[in-house]
């Protein structure tokens, strides 16, 4: 749900940048290392905004993928531990359901 809201917000900012640029039809001079070009303001705003969004999205996807990988590895370790020590898990579950333990934890 959060990602949907964030995507809609980014799209609205992009449309806002295009509307702002459409109202300002000036030519903007952009100097490169070797060349120079004149572009309309809406094109420059749209390209810069889109480039910034894509760079941010790439970094976010990298970090999300890394976190998912760490979570998957942790879940595998938990499953391996549970497979090796089934008796300790049974005693832990029994202890959690014990009324005296619940009173101490409350």
């Amino acid at each position: 749900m959060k990602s949907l809201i964030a995507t809609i917000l980014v799209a609205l900012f992009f449309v806002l940048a295009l509307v702002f640029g459409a109202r300002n039809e000036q030519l903007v001079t952009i100097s490169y290392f070797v060349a120079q070009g004149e572009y309309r303001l809406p094109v420059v705003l749209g390209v810069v905004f889109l480039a910034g969004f894509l760079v941010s999205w790439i970094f976010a996807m990298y970090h999300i993928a890394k976190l998912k990988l760490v979570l998957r590895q942790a879940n595998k370790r938990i499953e391996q531990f549970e497979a090796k020590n089934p008796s300790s898990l049974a005693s832990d579950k029994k202890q959690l359901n014990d009324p005296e333990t619940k009173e101490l934890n409350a």
Side-chain angles (χ1 to χ4, degrees):
M1 186 66 182
K2 287 182 183 180
S3 63
L4 177 65
I5 292 171
T7 304
I8 290 172
L9 189 63
V10 168
L12 288 175
F13 280 136
F14 185 70
V15 169
L16 182 67
L18 289 179
V19 168
F20 175 75
R23 299 284 298 167
N24 298 296
E25 287 292 327
Q26 323 176 34
L27 287 177
V28 177
T29 303
I30 298 179
S31 298
Y32 306 106
F33 291 113
V34 202
Q36 181 177 350
E38 288 190 6
Y39 302 99
R40 292 183 320 135
L41 185 60
V43 173
V44 173
L45 287 174
V47 168
V48 169
F49 186 83
L50 187 62
F53 173 76
L54 289 176
V55 168
S56 300
W57 184 76
I58 288 170
F59 278 108
M61 288 299 114
Y62 168 75
H63 288 292
I64 289 171
K66 192 167 85 171
L67 288 173
K68 284 185 178 183
L69 179 65
V70 169
L71 180 63
R72 185 179 305 140
Q73 290 172 348
N75 284 336
K76 283 183 182 179
R77 288 182 186 157
I78 289 171
E79 289 175 3
Q80 290 173 352
F81 178 77
E82 288 175 350
K84 288 181 182 177
N85 302 321
S87 61
S88 66
L89 290 176
S91 65
D92 288 345
K93 287 180 184 177
K94 188 176 180 182
Q95 201 174 34
L96 286 175
N97 291 331
D98 188 18
E100 291 177 10
T101 308
K102 287 182 182 179
E103 288 176 8
L104 292 175
N105 291 333

